[in-house]
Amino acid sequence: MILMNRTWHSLSWQEALQILNSDLKQGLSGEEIKIRQKEFGKNKLPEEKPLSKLKIYLEQFHSSFVYILMAAGIVTLFLREFADAIVIWAAVFVNTTVGFIQENRTSNALKALKEVIQQESEVLRNGNLKIINSEELVPGDIIILNPGDKVPADARIIESQGLKVNQMVLTGEWLPSEKISRTLLGQTHLMDRDNMVYMGCIIEAGKGKAVVVNTGIYTEIGKIAKMVKEAPERKTPYQKKLANFSTLIGIGTIIICAFIFFEGLIKGKEFVEMFTTSVAVAVSAIPEGLPVAITVILALGMQKILKKKGLIRKLASAETLGSTSIICTDKTGTLTKGKMKVSEIIGDRSLVLKSAVLTSEAFIENSDDLMEKWILRGRPTDKALLEAGIENGLIDIKKKMEEDKLSEIPFNPINKFAAAFYKESGEMYLYISGAPERIFERSNLNDQEKRRLEEKLKELTSKGKRVLATGYRKVDKSENITYEIKGLEALCYDFIFTGFIALSDPIRKEVKQAMRICRKAGMRPIIVTGDHKLTAKAVAEELGFKITKENLLEGIDLDKLSDKEFEEILDKIQIYSRVEPKHKMRIIGAWQDRGEVVAMTGDGINDAPALKKADIGIALGSGTAVAKESSDLILLNDSFSIIVKAVEEGRVIIDNIRKVITYLLSDSFTEVILIGTSIFIGAPLPIIAVQILWVNLIEDGLPDVALAFEPKEEKIMEQKAQGHDVHLLTKEMKFIIVIIGVITDVMLLGLFFWLWKQNFDITYIRTMIFACLTVDSLFYVFSCKSLRKNLWHINPFSNKLLSIAVVLGIIMLITAIYMPLLQTLLSTVPLSIYDWSIILALGIIELIAIEAAKYYFIVRHQTED
């Protein structure tokens, strides 16, 4: 029985029952149920298993730099260089532990897909109504739908009694869909299939009966679950850049080490000696402190973003935010409040609101409490009308008149109006509100008045507003009055038209400013919504978008475009309306193919595949568990403004990562040249492997971590957005790394050869070089505080942790030179005051030279710009 691909909405419910071999009065028999359960399986989706703590920890090792460190650690163990091995493996342990702690803290065990369908259903079987576990449902089951129920499976409506279903989790449309049983056209859009209900959606009002047509993985949610599973996990820009960077360093290190190793063998040196020397070069080339520092920067960034109401689920995603260039955002709940509100009243305000409030079916749940604590219940439209009445002081009138209510006609999708019959001051009045065209029909308007009102209605709806009309009439006691609904409907004519009420979902106050910052930062916001294009257009224009016809594209029109045609108009489209999950995937993919870093917001089940495919999936805190599980960032208060704040923190993260890389690579570059030059000319090593490790991990370790706490630089949100193609090493970084390396090496090699020619003891010479290298790195870390400004343009001591780290570094250097235990470990000897004066003088001269070179580069760069 192949059912899943049928267009059930285009069949009558009688045809659906016939195809499914089900009976309206009896439902399915016990035998038939067993056969179908065997054929279709349980009505459930595959459950997502949360990551175990062990797996979260092991994932921290998936880093190129960690691999390099581990390789170096294994080699040093093999050579029995235990001191070096201990330091290297300690770096591996610290890096993986910090990453594990942060990711484990933010991970959660949301069993999202199971949560969506875990429920019971009322079903007709063997002629009897039964309550069963929804997992036992099969195609052909007749189900009863009641207010508050979660729809247990995809089903074709048989009967609808004012049935209204909130399909936001599936379609993104926040207003409830009014369900009908009549047949629809085959090409009807998913969101407009009003004779269908879909798994996971909520029954807001009314009752209904439907026949199940698809269950489990064959439902619309099931298709989305499959898309989520199949959506490829893209590496973040940070992961790609760091992987390329690590590969470059790894290959470079191997080439240099191989050259030195074989050159030494050719010159007749011992195998073990050259192997040990090659390891020393490898150790000098690898910035061992980099993984720890980057992990701390990312973890710190996550904490800062959390303080701004954004929860990052994965460590690497924190940096990706800073590279974001395209933001595909939903409308409802992110740009708007997701709450209907009266925005405009046309006509006599008091009369219009009176009719609206008296016909509203909303109510105050706790009317005895203080007004500010009142909780309103009812449909979104009715709550908005009641709220407007409260704000305008009409609530007392409603309370008083409720006692004299004679009868009412509840709103239904056929009549499209609500009416209420009241006794007022000895007279009887009938109030009405509803769809304007229905109120026009029942009012005493002449043709000219009607045309004028229709023009006004067109003007309001073109702004994306939902419009109601109101009216009232006095009922004469001589009329044939009956309080039953049908009798009351007969009185609904000849109304005095009082006016229009325009309702809208208000823009969040902070979003306009966030949009301005977004554009100034070089990012492009694009609205991708399930709503109608006019509604989306109105919201976009209010937010500063310049929208023409060519900037709008509906999902159904996107389907008609080839990839090449879509690529040609991609830059023009600012609003995508009436989109389905497949459209969101295609939009994201198109921008990613251009090398852009794409962020996508969403809150519904329908958004999950796109959230997973995007470089940064952003879920609303009020959204579904499925969306949150598929995301990288969760907006705890739903607002778009949090995205911009998170992007700002992401840019600070990128800045600080680059500062750390510049700082550490300067040391590594210096050490490689220092050792390589000495080997090339046949001189002894100026510094040994364990001393290099001490500098890289202990002396540089605290300052590089302290750089993680560097505050954001000015105008960081005025810089151009970075895509996938922007390299990790910028021109500024390369220039500073080379300049620092060259200047430092010139001074260190000069000092080394001078001392060597003077026949000083090699241990003393190495201690001097070790101390010089340490002091130099502790001095020029201040040059790394900004890669765009000179030291005299910033406050060098603004980062207190960095100042403390430098002081502690000096103390540890002194300890390494004068403590007997460390003297043995590091092969150092005590230095005199004269030695220290030379070391400090060289450090100051180097700092001045570096800043002078930086000044030249900055001025030249500004001239070129």
Side-chain angles (χ1 to χ4, degrees):
M1 185 185 288
I2 305 298
L3 304 173
M4 63 289 300
N5 293 323
R6 290 183 180 273
T7 53
W8 294 102
H9 61 280
S10 65
L11 302 174
S12 68
W13 62 263
Q14 293 92 340
E15 290 174 311
L17 285 175
Q18 187 177 358
I19 292 169
L20 293 161
N21 196 21
S22 184
D23 186 89
L24 181 61
K25 295 182 179 179
Q26 295 295 315
L28 296 176
S29 65
E31 274 305 312
E32 186 62 28
I33 291 165
K34 290 178 182 178
I35 294 171
R36 296 190 186 194
Q37 284 179 342
K38 189 175 181 181
E39 181 179 354
F40 296 102
K42 294 279 188 181
N43 179 34
K44 65 176 185 177
L45 305 178
E47 294 176 13
E48 292 277 335
K49 288 186 179 180
L51 290 177
S52 66
K53 292 185 184 299
L54 177 61
K55 190 165 184 180
I56 292 174
Y57 184 75
L58 292 177
E59 281 194 346
Q60 309 310 311
F61 287 87
H62 294 171
S63 162
S64 301
F65 268 115
V66 173
Y67 294 153
I68 294 173
L69 280 180
M70 290 170 67
I74 292 169
V75 171
T76 50
L77 281 173
F78 175 75
L79 294 174
R80 304 180 69 82
E81 297 289 343
F82 297 118
D84 296 359
I86 289 170
V87 177
I88 291 172
W89 284 105
V92 172
F93 174 77
V94 171
N95 175 72
T96 52
T97 301
V98 171
F100 167 75
I101 291 171
Q102 188 63 37
E103 284 203 15
N104 186 56
R105 186 180 297 169
T106 58
S107 69
N108 56 66
L110 293 173
K111 296 183 179 179
L113 300 175
K114 181 178 178 181
E115 179 184 303
V116 170
I117 64 169
Q118 192 175 39
Q119 64 192 89
E120 291 183 331
S121 300
E122 186 177 354
V123 60
L124 178 67
R125 285 182 171 177
N126 293 315
N128 297 312
L129 287 174
K130 298 180 179 180
I131 302 295
I132 65 167
N133 189 319
S134 295
E135 291 184 2
E136 304 301 321
L137 286 174
V138 295
D141 266 325
I142 307 292
I143 55 174
I144 308 301
L145 303 169
N146 297 297
D149 285 354
K150 190 177 285 186
V151 179
D154 290 2
R156 171 68 167 87
I157 298 291
I158 295 173
E159 293 178 12
S160 173
Q161 300 173 26
L163 185 65
K164 294 181 181 180
V165 180
N166 188 319
Q167 300 181 155
M168 186 174 176
V169 294
L170 185 64
T171 66
E173 176 65 71
W174 67 290
L175 291 173
S177 172
E178 297 169 357
K179 294 301 176 182
I180 56 175
S181 61
R182 71 170 182 267
T183 306
L184 300 173
L185 294 174
Q187 65 266 34
T188 304
H189 196 281
L190 175 69
M191 300 171 189
D192 299 320
R193 293 174 189 171
D194 294 333
N195 59 5
M196 298 288 296
V197 287
Y198 297 103
M199 178 190 280
C201 299
I202 305 296
I203 309 298
E204 278 201 0
K207 292 192 67 173
K209 183 184 291 185
V211 57
V212 173
V213 296
N214 282 317
T215 56
I217 60 173
Y218 303 113
T219 61
E220 291 298 325
I221 287 179
K223 295 173 187 175
I224 293 172
K226 186 180 179 184
M227 290 171 69
V228 172
K229 190 175 181 181
E230 292 176 352
E233 288 279 1
R234 287 174 60 91
K235 286 187 176 181
T236 69
Y238 158 72
Q239 289 170 325
K240 289 180 180 179
K241 292 169 186 174
L242 193 58
N244 294 336
F245 177 59
S246 303
T247 302
L248 183 64
I249 286 185
I251 293 172
T253 301
I254 292 170
I255 292 172
I256 292 171
C257 291
F259 176 78
I260 291 172
F261 177 73
F262 287 112
E263 184 190 21
L265 291 181
I266 291 170
K267 289 184 176 182
K269 294 194 175 183
E270 293 292 328
F271 176 88
V272 174
E273 179 189 356
M274 290 314 303
F275 193 84
T276 306
T277 303
S278 298
V279 170
V281 173
V283 167
S284 67
I286 300 167
E288 289 86 358
L290 186 58
V292 176
I294 289 179
T295 302
V296 171
I297 290 172
L298 293 173
L300 183 65
M302 288 177 74
Q303 292 171 7
K304 287 182 178 178
I305 290 170
L306 182 59
K307 288 179 181 178
K308 295 178 179 180
K309 305 298 182 183
L311 176 64
I312 294 285
R313 295 184 65 246
K314 290 186 179 180
L315 207 59
S317 301
E319 180 273 344
T320 312
L321 280 162
S323 303
T324 301
S325 53
I326 301 290
I327 301 178
C328 296
T329 176
D330 196 1
K331 177 186 71 66
T332 306
T334 311
L335 304 179
T336 66
K337 293 181 179 180
K339 177 184 177 184
M340 190 170 277
K341 192 173 181 68
V342 172
S343 59
E344 193 173 353
I345 295 174
I346 310 297
D348 186 312
R349 189 177 189 86
S350 59
L351 281 177
V352 172
L353 278 176
K354 183 178 180 181
S355 298
V357 170
L358 292 179
T359 53
S360 169
E361 295 174 45
F363 61 92
I364 303 168
E365 184 177 79
N366 53 338
S367 57
D368 292 333
D369 291 346
L370 295 173
M371 185 182 293
E372 56 267 24
K373 294 183 179 180
W374 281 356
I375 299 172
L376 306 187
R377 300 293 187 192
R379 296 183 303 121
T381 304
D382 286 335
K383 286 197 292 184
L385 297 176
L386 181 57
E387 187 175 21
I390 293 171
E391 291 172 357
N392 286 270
L394 293 176
I395 190 61
D396 290 335
I397 294 175
K398 181 175 174 66
K399 285 181 178 179
K400 183 179 179 181
M401 290 184 66
E402 282 296 308
E403 300 171 6
D404 296 318
K405 181 188 283 189
L406 302 173
S407 185
E408 64 180 345
I409 302 174
F411 184 90
N412 69 68
I414 298 173
N415 287 337
K416 293 189 176 180
F417 70 84
F421 194 23
Y422 286 91
K423 188 175 183 180
E424 188 177 355
S425 302
E427 303 288 348
M428 290 183 290
Y429 290 89
L430 189 58
Y431 295 91
I432 192 170
S433 67
E437 60 273 17
R438 295 303 169 89
I439 306 304
F440 290 163
E441 294 170 359
R442 296 173 182 273
S443 298
N444 56 5
L445 298 167
N446 59 42
D447 291 341
Q448 185 178 352
E449 289 173 328
K450 192 177 292 186
R451 280 195 298 271
R452 179 178 58 82
L453 290 170
E454 285 172 345
E455 284 298 316
K456 186 64 181 177
L457 175 61
K458 187 177 179 180
E459 178 189 330
L460 292 171
T461 54
S462 68
K463 295 177 182 178
K465 297 181 184 292
R466 187 176 188 187
V467 183
L468 299 178
T470 61
Y472 76 97
R473 64 164 294 214
K474 184 178 179 181
V475 179
D476 195 275
K477 293 179 182 178
S478 63
E479 296 184 58
N480 185 20
I481 299 173
T482 174
Y483 298 144
E484 293 180 359
I485 291 178
K486 285 187 178 180
L488 200 57
E489 284 180 359
L491 297 175
C492 290
Y493 65 93
D494 203 28
F495 282 95
I496 298 171
F497 185 87
T498 52
F500 292 123
I501 294 181
L503 301 105
S504 61
D505 184 4
I507 300 287
R508 287 176 174 269
K509 291 181 181 178
E510 69 278 9
V511 170
K512 288 185 180 180
Q513 175 65 12
M515 278 288 180
R516 283 194 289 269
I517 295 172
C518 182
R519 293 189 182 97
K520 198 173 183 181
M523 294 181 289
R524 178 173 179 173
I526 298 171
I527 297 176
V528 183
T529 179
D531 272 353
H532 192 278
K533 64 181 179 182
L534 290 179
T535 306
K537 182 174 181 284
V539 169
E541 288 176 338
E542 192 173 345
L543 291 172
F545 286 74
K546 305 296 183 185
I547 303 296
T548 62
K549 189 176 180 180
E550 68 174 6
N551 305 130
L552 290 158
L553 187 66
E554 288 194 324
I556 194 168
D557 296 320
L558 177 56
D559 286 331
K560 299 172 185 175
L561 298 175
S562 67
D563 289 342
K564 185 178 179 180
E565 290 171 330
F566 184 36
E567 165 64 23
E568 289 173 354
I569 66 167
L570 185 62
D571 283 320
K572 297 178 182 177
I573 309 303
Q574 298 187 59
I575 297 174
Y576 294 89
S577 61
R578 292 298 193 195
V579 295
E580 296 179 22
K582 61 180 181 180
H583 300 135
K584 295 178 182 181
M585 301 279 278
R586 191 176 177 191
I587 294 163
I588 291 168
W591 282 111
Q592 288 175 335
D593 289 343
R594 288 191 173 190
E596 303 290 352
V597 176
V598 183
M600 169 76 193
T601 71
D603 58 355
I605 297 168
N606 65 316
D607 294 319
L611 292 175
K612 188 175 179 183
K613 181 176 176 60
D615 298 290
I616 282 288
I618 304 172
L620 306 192
S622 62
T624 62
V626 178
K628 293 175 188 175
E629 189 67 19
S630 302
S631 69
D632 303 292
L633 168 67
I634 299 173
L635 307 181
L636 299 181
N637 73 349
D638 293 359
S639 178
F640 180 87
S641 64
I642 303 303
I643 302 174
V644 178
K645 292 176 183 177
V647 168
E648 184 177 52
E649 285 302 331
R651 291 191 174 187
V652 173
I653 288 170
I654 292 174
D655 252 16
N656 289 347
I657 286 176
R658 284 185 167 140
K659 290 171 186 176
V660 170
I661 289 175
T662 302
Y663 176 59
L664 293 180
L665 278 193
S666 300
D667 254 4
S668 296
F669 184 65
T670 299
E671 292 158 358
V672 168
I673 295 175
L674 192 63
I675 290 178
T677 304
S678 65
I679 290 173
F680 184 75
I681 64 173
L685 291 179
I687 187 169
I688 58 177
V690 71
Q691 291 173 338
I692 290 171
L693 284 170
W694 181 273
V695 173
N696 288 3
L697 289 173
I698 307 302
E699 298 295 345
D700 291 351
L702 290 177
D704 68 37
V705 171
L707 281 173
F709 294 84
E710 275 296 303
K712 71 176 180 182
E713 294 192 41
E714 293 178 5
K715 299 182 179 180
I716 196 167
M717 288 300 281
E718 294 180 18
Q719 298 169 22
K720 186 179 178 182
Q722 300 182 14
H724 285 285
D725 300 330
V726 179
H727 297 296
L728 190 61
L729 287 175
T730 62
K731 288 181 181 179
E732 292 92 336
M733 293 172 69
K734 292 173 185 176
F735 179 81
I736 292 171
I737 289 167
V738 171
I739 286 298
I740 290 176
V742 169
I743 293 173
T744 306
D745 279 316
V746 167
M747 291 191 295
L748 292 182
L749 285 169
L751 177 64
F752 172 73
F753 288 123
W754 180 73
L755 293 173
W756 186 39
K757 293 296 182 182
Q758 299 295 319
N759 293 320
F760 281 99
D761 180 71
I762 191 63
T763 305
Y764 164 74
I765 295 174
R766 285 172 175 163
T767 302
M768 284 289 288
I769 299 301
F770 169 61
C772 274
L773 187 61
T774 300
V775 169
D776 289 346
S777 70
L778 292 176
F779 277 20
Y780 70 63
V781 70
F782 290 103
S783 289
C784 296
K785 278 175 62 67
S786 176
L787 304 181
R788 304 180 191 90
K789 293 182 179 180
N790 279 108
L791 201 54
W792 55 83
H793 287 142
I794 62 173
N795 178 2
F797 306 110
S798 60
N799 185 345
K800 292 181 180 178
L801 287 176
L802 182 60
S803 301
I804 293 170
V806 170
V807 171
L808 289 175
I810 292 170
I811 293 171
M812 296 181 80
L813 173 61
I814 294 170
T815 305
I817 291 175
Y818 294 102
M819 181 180 283
L821 178 63
L822 291 179
Q823 285 178 338
T824 303
L825 177 68
L826 299 172
S827 299
T828 58
V829 294
L831 299 175
S832 67
I833 294 177
Y834 175 73
D835 295 331
W836 282 110
S837 66
I838 294 174
I839 292 166
L840 291 173
L842 289 174
I844 292 170
I845 291 169
E846 182 192 17
L847 184 61
I848 293 170
I850 290 169
E851 284 300 313
K854 237 172 90 176
Y855 176 77
Y856 168 76
F857 180 85
I858 292 169
V859 170
R860 191 184 71 175
H861 187 64
Q862 289 173 345
T863 304
E864 289 174 355
D865 289 346

